[in-house]
Structure formats: structure tokens, C-alpha cells
Amino acid sequence: MIIFACIFVPSLKISLAIDSINLLQSVRDGETLVSKGGKFELGFFSPGSSQKRYVGIWYKNIPTQTVVWVANGANPINDSSGILTLNTTGNLVLTQNGSIVWYTNNSHKQVQNPVLALLDSGNLVIRNDGEPNPEAYLWQSFDYPSHALLPGMKFGRDLRTGLERRYTAWKSPEDPSPGDVYGVLKPYNYPEFYMMKGEKKLLRQGPWNGLYFSGFPDLQNNTIFGINFVSNKDEIYYTFSLVKSSVVTINVINQTGRTYRYVWVEGDQNWRIYISQPKDFCDTYGLCGAYGSCMISQTQVCQCLKGFSPKSPQAWASSDWTQGCVRNNPLSCHGEDKDGFVKFE
């Protein structure tokens, strides 16, 4: 009956009823791995109306398929011949008709009887069988985010290896290949989160002030998640943890340059937007230029600070504020008439 069903219903998924595979096993298109607690599932999928096949991870018990990680986003498979296997070097290999489509690169760690496992955190890991340290991974998908951040996933940089964990928008809802919009943590003395489009800065959250990123104070004291930030000689990263383990929440970036914090509402059987960024036009990076202030309640949102005027009045009048403002009078730092500071709120 299973063979009959697979012939006439090609999209039917067969759960292997296991959360891991070893060197003798594989995952074929139509088969899936399910994490031990039944939270996440790994298998082949096609986004939207696309016919291309990708290996991904999604929530197991949420009826609207919500993909949180994609392996071969840049190299799709065009039929159902894909096979995911684990080789003796401890690497995961995706093949199509014998040709390699995608693979992991674990060449610097000692491998002894590797196994691949999907965890209830949504993390896909390769580790040595019998390894006593539960976090001693040969490779993990959490180090290579796609378009989504999950609880416990580090977002930042490993200063020892140079690994940068950023997350990148899909090109479109039907094309999970990496687009040119991405979120990155800049490891300055006061680390800052930036939303980028290529080399252009779209959004900056502001420096970490010990409690939250200063540009978004509404991220504190929420009832959904807690923010954790670590900065030391080995690594610098941001992560979030759940206030209640029963809550399902995910942070997603899209190609428009927006990020959304979604929460799954069981009663509605739907995702609800909890927070989105940018919140308004004034969150756009550098919108008003040097010495400009953004006032969202004004028709012309950009205003020059007291003592300054538009550098280009003509451009300013046409709502091009990028050149910013310049001082009306040169700064005087000496003598009896030296300048001081003006309080600005």
C-alpha cells in the first residue's frame, strides 16, 4: 500500500520515525527525520508553487509549513532524486543522480563513527557517536543560519575561527537562495546590529547597553523572550531564550529589509506579528544625514538641529535629506564667546 501511495501521491512524506542517521542510512526525497520531542522535521520541500526541491527543516506540528533552515538554497534539485547521506569524514552530502549538489565542510575535527541528529531546538548536528559532551559537534546548522533565528541560535562572530553567523533573506517566498539583504552583528567596541542590502546600511539597532540594543527599548520586559548578549575574547554574539518553553516564536528577515518576530497562536492556528523592524520611516539608517533629526510626526520628517541649516536647500526641499545639515556659524572653542552644548530631546 505504501508503494502504491507513493506512485500516485509523489508528495507523500514517510517519517523514518527516527531523529538521527548513521553511515549506513540516508534520507531520500519523501522521507523525513523528526526530532525526539516531535518539534521539528527535516526533509525535502518545494516552497510555494515552485517545483524545485530543497532540503530544509520546519516545524513538525504547525499546519502551515514554516521552514526555518535550508541546506541547498543556492543549488536546488529539479526532481525527486535527491539523497542526503553522511560520509566517513563526518560530512553531510546531498546528491542528485550521483552528482554532489551540496555538502558540509568539516575537515579539521577528529571523526569517529559520526551520526547526524535533528534536535528539538531545530539544530541539525553531526557528532561522534558516544561523545560524552552533548555540545561537542563536528558541525551544526545553527552555525549557518538561513533566513530565520531560533531560540538558542547564536547571532554574531566566533573570534577564534572567524566564523560569522549572519542571517540572510530569501530572494523571494518561492526562491530560498540567499538574497542581498542580511542581518549582521558588527563587533565594534560597542557592538551594533545592522540590516544590510549589499554594502548599504538599511537599519541600525544601536549599541548594546547591557539590557538591550539602545535603539529598540521595547525589546526589554516582554513576556515572550529574553535577550542574551555575550562578548569576550573568544566570541561575540546575541541570542534569545524563551520566557516560557511552551511558546513558539521565530525571528525572520525578508528581502524587503524588514525583520519580523512571529509568535504561533494555537487558538487561531496562525502566526501573529509580535514585533517588526523598522518600526517607521525614521528607523531608516542615515535618513536625515549629518546633524539631521527625524520627526515622524512632521510632514517633512527631517529637521536640522538648532544652529544648523540644510547643506543643499534645493535637495532638502525635494525630500532628499541625505546630504544633511551644516553649521550656520563656525564653531568657537576659545575666548569669552566660546560655544557650549545645547540639550536636545
Side-chain angles (χ1 to χ4, degrees):
M1 288 299 294
I2 291 177
I3 294 173
F4 180 85
C6 286
I7 291 172
F8 290 95
V9 190
S11 61
L12 179 68
K13 292 186 179 68
I14 303 173
S15 172
L16 299 176
I18 55 175
D19 66 315
S20 61
I21 60 171
N22 57 32
L23 294 174
L24 301 176
Q25 298 168 300
S26 62
V27 179
R28 295 174 178 270
D29 197 326
E31 300 174 338
T32 65
L33 296 181
V34 178
S35 64
K36 276 187 177 178
K39 292 185 177 180
F40 289 94
E41 187 170 26
L42 174 139
F44 290 78
F45 76 101
S46 294
S49 60
S50 172
Q51 300 300 309
K52 296 178 180 179
R53 303 296 283 169
Y54 301 87
V55 170
I57 299 171
W58 56 85
Y59 289 98
K60 169 66 175 173
N61 295 319
I62 290 179
T64 303
Q65 188 182 61
T66 305
V67 176
V68 300
W69 183 79
V70 182
N72 59 316
N75 297 292
I77 294 174
N78 55 19
D79 57 30
S80 59
S81 64
I83 304 176
L84 192 64
T85 57
L86 186 64
N87 66 19
T88 55
T89 64
N91 283 296
L92 194 58
V93 182
L94 175 63
T95 59
Q96 177 186 21
N97 298 321
S99 299
I100 295 177
V101 175
W102 172 89
Y103 62 94
T104 61
N105 185 15
N106 167 42
S107 58
H108 304 292
K109 296 181 180 179
Q110 189 172 2
V111 179
Q112 296 177 335
N113 195 22
V115 294
L116 174 75
L118 178 61
L119 307 183
D120 269 330
S121 62
N123 195 8
L124 184 67
V125 303
I126 302 172
R127 58 190 173 199
N128 288 318
D129 192 20
E131 169 61 53
N133 182 355
E135 295 186 0
Y137 304 133
L138 301 172
W139 177 91
Q140 60 176 330
S141 62
F142 269 19
D143 280 341
Y144 305 93
S146 52
H147 68 304
L149 293 181
L150 295 172
M153 182 182 285
K154 294 180 180 179
F155 174 57
R157 184 174 297 182
D158 188 321
L159 302 176
R160 297 161 297 189
T161 64
L163 175 68
E164 184 178 63
R165 303 180 187 95
R166 60 168 68 175
Y167 67 138
T168 306
W170 290 9
K171 284 187 176 179
S172 76
E174 297 186 351
D175 182 0
S177 59
D180 59 354
V181 173
Y182 60 94
V184 63
L185 190 67
K186 298 287 188 180
Y188 303 141
N189 289 335
Y190 293 94
E192 295 182 300
F193 167 85
Y194 283 89
M195 185 73 66
M196 309 286 293
K197 184 177 178 65
E199 296 300 316
K200 181 182 178 181
K201 296 173 180 175
L202 301 178
L203 173 74
R204 177 180 61 183
Q205 282 194 336
W208 178 257
N209 63 13
L211 296 174
Y212 51 87
F213 289 101
S214 61
F216 292 88
D218 56 347
L219 292 181
Q220 65 170 337
N221 299 327
N222 68 79
T223 60
I224 303 297
F225 63 96
I227 301 173
N228 306 297
F229 188 78
V230 174
S231 179
N232 55 43
K233 63 182 179 63
D234 294 327
E235 53 187 350
I236 177 171
Y237 66 87
Y238 150 87
T239 186
F240 73 91
S241 57
L242 298 177
V243 175
K244 294 181 180 179
S245 60
S246 60
V247 173
V248 179
T249 181
I250 186 173
N251 202 31
V252 176
I253 181 176
N254 68 23
Q255 187 59 19
T256 67
R258 296 192 66 86
T259 60
Y260 294 91
R261 163 77 60 183
Y262 292 103
V263 175
W264 177 254
V265 181
E266 189 65 29
D268 295 341
Q269 288 288 286
N270 203 0
W271 289 102
R272 181 177 297 168
I273 297 175
Y274 184 71
I275 295 174
S276 66
Q277 299 169 353
K279 297 179 73 68
D280 57 45
F281 194 39
C282 282
D283 278 341
T284 305
Y285 182 83
L287 179 67
C288 298
Y291 303 110
S293 170
C294 196
M295 308 288 285
I296 196 63
S297 59
Q298 303 293 322
T299 303
Q300 286 274 47
V301 296
C302 288
Q303 312 288 325
C304 287
L305 295 175
K306 183 179 179 180
F308 293 80
S309 298
K311 184 175 183 179
S312 172
Q314 184 176 359
W316 195 272
S318 63
S319 299
D320 177 5
W321 307 292
T322 54
Q323 296 183 54
C325 308
V326 292
R327 293 183 183 277
N328 295 334
N329 299 299
L331 192 63
S332 175
C333 298
H334 306 285
E336 296 181 359
D337 297 327
K338 64 182 179 181
D339 294 327
F341 289 93
V342 174
K343 185 177 181 179
F344 175 76
E345 295 181 350

